[in-house]
Amino acid sequence: MGPAAGLAALLAVLALGAGDPAGAAARGDTFSALTSVARALAPERRLLGLLRRYLRGEEARLRDLTRFYDKVLSLHEDSATPVSNPLLAFTLIKRLQSDWRNVVHSLEASENIRALKDGYEKVEQDLPAFEDVEGAARALMRLQDVYMLNVKGLARGVFQRVVGSAVTDLYSPRRLFSLTADDCFQVGKVAYDMGDYYHAIPWLEEAVSLFRGSYGEWKTEDEASLEDALDHLAFAYFQAGNVSCALSLSREFLLYSPDNKRMARNVLKYEKLLAESPNQVVAEAVIQRPNVPHLQTRDIYEGLCQTLGSQPTHYQIPSLYCSYETNSSPYLLLQPVRKEVIHLEPYVVLYHDFVSDVEAQKIRGLAEPWLQRSVVASGEKQLPVEYRISKSAWLKDTVDPLLVTLDHRIGALTGLDVQTPYAEYLQVVNYGIGGHYEPHFDHATSPTSPLYRMKSGNRVATFMIYLSSVEAGGATAFIYANFSVPVVKD
């Protein structure tokens, strides 16, 4: 979950226009919401059906080829096959003149592959774009950083935090799923292409290791090879200042591709550099993790995402308490809400079981067709940014009576007027792979913000409802107050 860094708005951030339902994820935005990732299963099922039909066609074709092969082979296995037999002589001549030509130039194989390609082209518009691969790869790196995950463990499907010699299991998925050499290479290459060698090197190292273990095997789906991984890893090490590793990997590359002149020139270059600076032989480059958004509070933010920070226990601060809350409202008299005061400055309260499972599911269902990539205000514009990875939708209370009921419940509990223009519409946010919202203020901090031109004025409070729990991770972090609230469905 994205962090919240101070007082924030009631229910939402800047409103989007109504637009059209986003039933199909925009290409390049699949990675930004798990609902979109889940929808990507549908086109893959269609592709599986196409491949199944193709395989059945090919299996039938190969059975027929095997039949022909066995028939002809049986004639040759009999050394006493009498070509004097006019029937055998005729069939031999016919086979050589036409049968073999028909076998070699059979259109059945091309028809099978053509049907597969035609089917793929019909599905292609619904498939993720390369920008999605890049976004998903950056998400893995973000999870790797925030939760201090070990790359070797991730490649094996294990989510482990490694600090020194201490290893902690953070997440145990129901099904263990490991990455291939090509998978690791693609993650490393995304970092490599950004000039981020801090992340590129461990992923490319894992790719090289896996490619070495399966060298000589051919996988149709792979784009990369051991040579590709060695090439990229060698140059990444060179860019990071480790010439010795770059030289060793380049020499290994030449074992597999000795005619590559570019790599041969690189070897000569690295050898010359090491000869001129012998201390490079034992030097190990210390690569600093990039801080692309130049976030000064990054360490605090990530630490709070990993733990509950320094949130005090109730017995230490008597003013923090739990109670059944009615706020003197008749609306809540017969069904008070369980209230937990978490922090006083800023004032943060957690209400338990605020919405039922049925209500949460209904709200998610209402929002899903309208989810679009979340944006932030940038001057007069609203733009998608790397530091906010999610999709969001705005729901007016006219969409469904449930939203009117929810507004009444929030108003009764808080004493705030949640009707427009005093509050914004309900915003439903779905986070993507490694989704997050880096530290920010929900209220406007600049007089140029569009919020100041709204009739409602600036924001004074946020009412946030967790509509689902997560399998691992996730928290709303208050970085200046040094505490976080984990994601548990309200």
Side-chain angles (χ1 to χ4, degrees):
M1 290 290 292
L7 292 181
L10 184 64
L11 298 180
V13 291
L14 295 179
L16 300 172
D20 296 321
R27 298 201 73 198
D29 273 349
T30 300
F31 75 96
S32 62
L34 288 183
T35 54
S36 299
V37 177
R39 280 200 296 269
L41 291 169
E44 184 161 57
R45 290 191 192 100
R46 291 163 62 189
L47 290 173
L48 280 172
L50 291 169
L51 186 57
R52 182 174 60 249
R53 287 193 291 274
Y54 171 76
L55 289 172
R56 287 174 178 171
E58 285 294 280
E59 287 167 356
R61 184 177 68 86
L62 291 174
R63 281 196 301 271
D64 190 52
L65 285 176
T66 302
R67 175 200 56 76
F68 176 78
Y69 171 83
D70 290 340
K71 181 184 77 171
V72 177
L73 181 64
S74 68
L75 295 174
H76 284 263
E77 285 178 338
D78 185 357
S79 58
T81 299
V83 293
S84 58
N85 183 329
L87 297 178
L88 289 174
F90 168 77
T91 56
L92 172 61
I93 293 170
K94 175 181 173 292
R95 281 200 310 276
L96 294 174
Q97 197 281 323
S98 62
D99 291 9
W100 278 100
R101 182 178 69 248
N102 292 337
V103 167
V104 172
H105 296 286
S106 170
L107 296 178
E108 192 173 0
S110 58
E111 288 172 355
N112 288 341
I113 195 66
R114 183 71 261 169
L116 180 63
K117 289 180 178 179
D118 288 345
Y120 176 83
E121 289 171 3
K122 292 177 182 177
V123 179
E124 192 170 11
Q125 63 181 359
D126 297 328
L127 303 181
F130 181 68
E131 290 81 4
D132 287 303
V133 177
E134 291 180 313
R138 288 195 296 269
L140 289 181
M141 297 176 218
R142 187 158 53 247
L143 292 172
Q144 170 191 344
D145 291 338
V146 172
Y147 297 104
M148 304 172 71
L149 299 176
N150 177 266
V151 171
K152 284 187 174 296
L154 283 174
R156 298 195 312 272
V158 177
F159 293 76
Q160 291 180 327
R161 179 187 299 154
V162 179
V163 181
S165 59
V167 179
T168 306
D169 289 323
L170 298 182
Y171 171 47
S172 299
R174 290 186 293 271
R175 178 181 177 184
L176 200 64
F177 184 84
S178 58
L179 299 178
T180 66
D182 190 67
D183 294 334
C184 294
F185 174 80
Q186 295 302 333
V187 177
K189 188 174 184 300
V190 168
Y192 176 95
D193 289 341
M194 295 190 299
D196 175 8
Y197 304 113
Y198 173 89
H199 290 105
I201 287 175
W203 284 101
L204 291 173
E205 283 273 19
E206 192 61 24
V208 166
S209 175
L210 291 171
F211 273 128
R212 284 171 179 156
S214 61
Y215 190 76
E217 297 178 11
W218 179 68
K219 294 181 179 178
T220 308
E221 69 271 22
D222 284 358
E223 286 190 16
S225 63
L226 174 59
E227 290 89 330
D228 293 322
L230 288 168
D231 188 3
H232 284 76
L233 182 58
F235 191 72
Y237 266 123
F238 171 69
Q239 288 293 91
N242 195 327
V243 181
S244 179
C245 278
L247 175 59
S248 176
L249 292 162
S250 300
R251 285 172 173 167
E252 183 179 352
F253 177 99
L254 288 176
L255 295 176
Y256 302 104
S257 184
D259 297 328
N260 190 296
K261 295 180 180 180
R262 177 180 58 83
M263 191 60 70
R265 289 194 298 270
N266 284 351
V267 167
L268 293 175
K269 174 183 176 180
Y270 300 151
E271 288 175 340
K272 182 178 179 182
L273 286 172
L274 290 174
E276 293 171 351
S277 304
N279 60 317
Q280 286 277 11
V281 175
V282 294
E284 289 189 8
V286 178
I287 311 170
Q288 296 297 321
R289 175 186 162 193
N291 190 2
V292 177
H294 306 291
L295 186 63
Q296 295 179 350
T297 57
R298 184 179 71 179
D299 291 344
I300 297 173
Y301 163 58
E302 293 181 353
L304 290 172
C305 288
Q306 295 170 19
T307 67
L308 292 180
S310 59
Q311 181 176 332
T313 55
H314 291 147
Y315 67 84
Q316 290 176 316
I317 300 181
S319 54
L320 301 181
Y321 62 92
C322 294
S323 66
Y324 283 98
E325 181 66 57
T326 65
N327 198 28
S328 302
S329 169
Y331 189 86
L332 298 173
L333 192 59
L334 296 179
Q335 191 175 3
V337 179
R338 293 194 299 153
K339 172 183 176 180
E340 178 185 354
V341 179
I342 293 178
H343 206 271
L344 297 177
E345 185 64 35
Y347 186 64
V348 179
V349 177
L350 179 62
Y351 298 106
H352 295 270
D353 302 319
F354 184 77
V355 294
S356 68
D357 292 344
V358 173
E359 289 173 326
Q361 184 176 0
K362 180 69 176 290
I363 295 170
R364 293 198 303 266
L366 291 171
E368 185 169 350
W370 301 91
L371 289 171
Q372 297 182 15
R373 178 70 185 269
S374 298
V375 296
V376 299
S378 177
E380 297 295 320
K381 298 180 180 179
Q382 296 181 11
L383 303 172
V385 289
E386 181 67 18
Y387 59 82
R388 186 183 187 189
I389 302 297
S390 63
K391 285 188 176 181
S392 54
W394 295 79
L395 299 179
K396 296 183 179 181
D397 56 10
T398 54
V399 171
D400 191 272
L402 170 60
L403 302 183
V404 177
T405 302
L406 187 62
D407 280 349
H408 288 164
R409 195 180 304 162
I410 294 171
L413 187 60
T414 62
L416 297 171
D417 189 340
V418 296
Q419 302 303 308
T420 55
Y422 305 108
E424 298 164 61
Y425 298 121
L426 177 67
Q427 180 186 201
V428 180
V429 180
N430 183 252
Y431 286 86
I433 308 168
H436 71 144
Y437 194 171
E438 286 184 352
H440 63 281
F441 290 100
D442 278 0
H443 67 278
T445 57
S446 170
T448 62
S449 170
L451 272 177
Y452 281 98
R453 295 194 295 275
M454 297 172 64
K455 293 180 181 179
S456 58
N458 205 351
R459 295 161 172 165
V460 297
T462 293
F463 197 99
M464 182 186 296
I465 304 169
Y466 290 144
L467 294 176
S468 62
S469 299
V470 293
E471 291 193 29
T476 299
F478 296 82
I479 57 173
Y480 296 121
N482 197 30
F483 74 95
S484 57
V485 181
V487 178
V488 179
K489 191 192 77 63
D490 294 322

